[in-house]
Each structure stands twice: as C-alpha cells, then as structure tokens.
Amino acid sequence: ESQTEPGTGLQLPPGFLFGAATAAYQVEGAATADGRGPSIWDTFSHTPGRVLGGETGDVAIEHYQRYREDVALMSDLGLQAYRFSIAWPRVQPNGRGALNQAGVDFYSRLIDELLAAGIEPWPTLYHWDLPQPLEDAGGWPERDTAERFADYAGAISAVLGDRVRQWTTLNEPWCSAFLGYGSGVHAPGRQDPAAAVRAGHHLMLGHGLAAGLLRSGGHQVGVTINLYDVVPVSEREIDVDAARRIDGLQNRFFLDPVLLGSYPADVVADLAAVTDFSHVHDGDLSVISTPLDMLGVNYYSRHVVTGEAGNGDDGHGGAAGSGASPWPGSEHVGFSKGDLPVTAMGWEIHAEGLTSVLERVSVEYPPVPLYVTENGAAFADVPDPDGLVRDPDRISYLDGHLRACQAAIDAGVPLRGYFCWSLFDNFEWSWGYSRRFGLVYVDYETQTRTPKSSAYWYGDLIRGRLAT
Ligand code: PNW
C-alpha cells in the first residue's frame, strides 16, 4: 500500500513521553552573567583552531535571557517534557564549595516556567561543561573529580529536587572521555589514551556516587549513554574482531559497569598496553552499578568498521580533526560507510539500528526502563522566501526512528519515551553553528525562532497521540 504519510499508523503506547532536548553550553549564552565561571568548553572554544570558524557559546541562542519565550514555544508545540542541562560552572563556579545563588535561580525560574506550562523538566547534571578550575586540578582523569561531581549533584538536587521527577547524571560519558581526553576534538582537547580510560572510569564513578546520594534522598536517577549499532564491513575474522573492539569501547565499556557491575574482560584485554586498570579501586564497580530508575539512550547512527586501516575516518572526527584516535588500544580499526543516505554530519541514516540497540540492551542486561534521550539529524535548512523552513528530510528521519521505537516496544522493550535532538538549532560543539539539528530554526543574527515543518509535524504527532 502507498500509505507513507509520515506519522501515519504510529502507535506508541499511552503514557509514552514525547519531548525535546538541549544542553546548557549549546543554547544558553550569557557565559559570564550572574557569576558563571568558565568551563572547559569556554576555554576550548576560545582556543584558535579548535572550533570551526572560531565560534563559541558566548552568546549561543540566548536561552538564558529568552527562556520564557522558549517555554511558550514548547507549549505551542505540545511538548510533554523538556530535557535540558544544568551548567555546573553557573551554579558552582569553582566546582566545589558554596552554590552561586544567581545561577541556581535561573534553573529555578526555568523549572517553574516549565511546570506552569504543564511541561515536565528533565535536567541533566553534566553535559560536558566541567568547571575550568577542576580541569586545572587534573580533570576527569583524576579520581577527585568524581567526588566533586557527587557533591555538586547532592547540592543542586537539594535545592531543585522538590520540582524534578527524574534526574539524569551524565550525558554521553563516551564523548567526555574519549573525545575530550583521547582524540581531543572535544574539550579539554587532551590526547592521552590512558587519561581517556581513567576519565571514563571517573565519570562513571561520579555517576554512581551521585546516583546513590540522590536515590537515598528519594529522587529518581538515570544516566544517558550514546549507543551505536556496530557492524563489520565483512564477515572476515579481522573485520568481525574490529567490530567487537569498537562495540566494546563505544557501548559495553559503559553498559557493563553501569548495568552489570563489571568491565568487559575482552575490552580490558584490548587495553592492556594502555592501562593496567589500577585506577579502579575495590568497591568502585558496586558504586557504579547503583540501581537506576531509567537508562537514557542517545542514538544517531551506526558504525561500519574494518580491521584494516580505513580511509583515516575514526568514526567521530571533529570539524578540525586532530590526528589522534578516540579508540585507545584499537587505533588500527578503520571506519567506512555503507550505502545508506547520510545527514549533514555525514552520519548514515539507519533507523533499524535504533531498534537493534534498544533490543540489545533489554535482552543482554537486567531490566531497566529505557528512554531515547536524543535522536535527530542535521540538514542544510534554509528558510524559503515565504519565511517557512521546510525540512522533509528531518520529518522522515524522525518518522523512521519513531517507527523503530515502536518496533522495539512491540518486541517487548520497556521504552517509555523519546526526546528529539534538538529543540533548537544551536552550538554544535566543534562544528560551531554550521550544523543545524533543531526542530526550530534560529536566525543567529536576530535570534528569531521559526518552527520548521518538522516542529509542526512533531507537535501534531504528539497531539494526535494524546487525542486517541
Ligand atoms: C551528542 N560523535 O553529541 C550530544 O549529546 C549533543 O550535545 C550533540 O549536539 C548531538 O549529539 C549531535 O552531535 C555527539 O562524534 C557529538 O560521534 C559527537 C558525536 C556523537 C555525539
């Protein structure tokens, strides 16, 4: 049959939560307002050569000043939840000690505005903006940073927690560790494979310490990791082994400690020349595997890998490239592409992979409620002369991935909600403002927000869902 109208026949269950996501450094701007201190992303973006075009988050889309207008827009679109992040350097500029009340007040006002509009606030405590003083003290490769994170999490949840149902500790620790300290295409831009592995451990330890603290205070806690469908380019043994290695570092390095309380033995063996894991102390893995109220999955694409050095693509290149690999101990692995269409990031569009990763988590790990906390696509959006922004490619991307969610649910996966990345066009890390992921177009000269056709489509889908 020819019924391919996007959204038609999607049957996500009653109570399924539809939202959209942003992150503090990507949208807020106001980088020095009201006592906010610098983070590693301020330092990095202000270092020449790190971000395309020398762009920074100094101004971004002025969400700090425009949050009321932005919440009104969310309400117009019918969003049920807003996933945002709390900037640690705004609420605790030194990364330790007293909270900065003016920074806390911003999030308090934002949460109140959301609740008044009937939109559930979904805060993430760490979306990559480590206070610079903590990086100066060694950053995530140092164990103390995990303790500092837990203190911050306890302090901020104590003041905002009465109005938050679901906390998320970290966003994508893979990126913080392996892009931040391995390849260096993300802040703080270090290139030290052993430090990257330690950073990954201390991020998870910080998560676990924070999760224990918040849960003992009666809060619900989750963590968001970015998962990929990893496939070998052929069934040759060398390619299959490459896929095992990349799946190990990308997916299981985080899933296993958090959900099983152990590191995957094959990954530990792959890393033998990089680190002896003496940074892992007795008891750490039971902290890291503190029971969760939800696991957030960010999904964008798949990795097609080969055991033979590929074309120089490392699967996660930043805009500037760096020459260093984000895959400690598996630097030889090459990345290629299949024959699927790609987004403006060059990422293959592979909706079935979302079903696979969700099913994989629910089959191979103990049961935990799942949310897709990010999924979306960058395309070269341009306003038409009539002022409308037509983005049919994004609508079909979202439609395909929501169908993939439905397929997972039909197969028994406990998937409870979906957040589109992103609500707005924003600062896309090393790509600056050159890549647009938003449901809402932002004119960076005037800060005018214009919902794209995908935003109206998503709103209609949510409302239709609510109506039935
Ligand atoms: C995620 N990679 O980042 C983040 O959570 C968002 O802040 C970001 O804007 C979004 O996805 C789109 O990129 C990633 O290199 C950044 O593979 C880079 C990679 C993956 C995810």
Side-chain angles (χ1 to χ4, degrees):
E1 81 166 296
S2 65
Q3 185 50 278
T4 53
E5 185 76 6
T8 303
L10 263 170
Q11 287 295 335
L12 292 155
F16 190 83
L17 190 69
F18 286 97
T22 65
Y25 190 69
Q26 297 182 270
V27 298
E28 287 180 1
T32 57
D34 300 331
R36 180 187 180 280
S39 82
I40 56 175
W41 267 97
D42 296 283
T43 306
F44 188 79
S45 67
H46 281 270
T47 304
R50 299 299 210 168
V51 174
L52 195 66
E55 292 176 325
T56 73
D58 289 1
V59 176
I61 65 165
E62 295 185 352
H63 186 56
Y64 188 78
Q65 296 92 334
R66 296 171 185 268
Y67 72 93
R68 284 207 165 82
E69 165 197 347
D70 291 342
V71 172
L73 191 50
M74 295 175 213
S75 176
D76 290 345
L77 295 176
L79 295 191
Q80 296 173 280
Y82 175 47
R83 177 177 179 261
F84 59 97
S85 79
I86 294 174
W88 187 354
R90 206 181 274 296
V91 302
Q92 196 184 41
N94 292 318
R96 64 181 83 232
L99 294 183
N100 171 37
Q101 190 59 44
V104 174
D105 289 345
F106 167 67
Y107 296 104
S108 187
R109 292 193 303 272
L110 172 62
I111 289 170
D112 284 343
E113 195 76 13
L114 289 165
L115 292 173
I119 299 169
E120 194 176 322
W122 266 63
T124 296
L125 289 163
Y126 185 73
H127 199 125
W128 307 354
D129 43 2
L130 186 71
Q132 184 62 41
L134 293 185
E135 177 59 24
D136 296 341
W140 287 110
E142 288 299 320
R143 189 177 177 89
D144 185 60
T145 304
E147 302 281 352
R148 302 282 66 74
F149 176 73
D151 282 357
Y152 149 65
I156 196 74
S157 63
V159 291
L160 299 177
D162 56 331
R163 288 162 289 156
V164 172
R165 182 177 70 90
Q166 177 67 60
W167 289 94
T168 302
T169 53
L170 309 175
N171 177 71
E172 301 192 354
W174 185 90
C175 291
S176 297
F178 294 107
L179 300 180
Y181 296 89
S183 68
V185 302
H186 280 185
R190 284 163 62 179
Q191 300 181 350
D192 177 343
V197 176
R198 288 202 309 278
H201 183 72
H202 296 141
L203 281 151
M204 287 190 277
L205 183 62
H207 153 72
L209 292 168
L213 203 63
L214 268 64
R215 290 190 113 223
S216 71
H219 302 289
Q220 294 191 41
V221 188
V223 61
T224 280
I225 57 182
N226 53 323
L227 299 180
Y228 279 76
D229 185 22
V230 182
V231 294
V233 76
S234 84
E235 288 310 315
R236 290 187 312 162
E237 199 181 319
I238 186 174
D239 296 328
V240 172
D241 185 64
R244 177 195 61 73
R245 286 168 171 269
I246 298 307
D247 174 53
L249 284 168
Q250 179 82 64
N251 301 321
R252 292 181 289 115
F253 185 86
F254 297 94
L255 285 171
D256 285 24
V258 166
L259 296 178
L260 302 176
S262 58
Y263 275 106
D266 62 315
V267 177
V268 173
D270 292 343
L271 287 166
V274 177
T275 172
D276 60 6
F277 278 82
S278 57
H279 57 278
V280 178
H281 295 189
D282 282 352
D284 283 2
L285 283 153
S286 60
V287 171
I288 291 170
S289 57
T290 297
L292 296 180
D293 300 292
M294 71 92 184
L295 180 76
V297 173
N298 292 356
Y299 176 84
Y300 288 92
S301 189
R302 67 175 182 178
H303 288 315
V304 182
V305 301
T306 159
E308 283 163 346
N311 50 11
D313 182 359
D314 66 17
H316 288 284
S322 76
S325 170
W327 305 109
S330 292
E331 294 85 354
H332 67 282
V333 172
F335 288 73
S336 75
K337 296 263 186 275
D339 47 11
L340 302 176
V342 297
T343 68
M345 298 299 288
W347 298 348
E348 281 188 313
I349 300 172
H350 180 52
E352 295 79 4
L354 175 54
T355 309
S356 308
V357 303
L358 292 169
E359 287 197 62
R360 190 254 182 111
V361 172
S362 79
V363 169
E364 294 181 20
Y365 295 89
V368 59
L370 301 179
Y371 286 81
V372 172
T373 39
E374 285 182 24
N375 172 248
F379 291 106
D381 304 310
V382 182
D384 282 337
D386 62 7
L388 297 180
V389 184
R390 292 174 173 86
D391 59 343
D393 291 343
R394 184 170 291 102
I395 293 175
S396 72
Y397 182 99
L398 298 176
D399 176 70
H401 287 77
L402 282 162
R403 287 177 198 282
C405 289
Q406 184 181 321
I409 292 168
D410 291 346
V413 173
L415 179 66
R416 304 281 187 248
Y418 174 95
F419 292 80
C420 178
W421 183 271
S422 176
L423 177 57
F424 297 111
D425 292 339
N426 59 47
F427 178 78
E428 178 52 30
W429 307 114
S430 71
W431 298 91
Y433 297 94
S434 71
R435 296 292 184 278
R436 294 178 177 273
F437 274 90
L439 294 168
V440 176
Y441 184 88
V442 178
D443 178 328
Y444 296 118
E445 301 294 320
T446 63
Q447 298 290 357
T448 305
R449 279 88 160 117
T450 305
K452 304 175 192 176
S453 42
S454 59
Y456 295 115
W457 175 82
Y458 192 53
D460 286 348
L461 181 80
I462 298 171
R463 285 183 215 283
R465 174 67 249 155
L466 295 178
T468 57

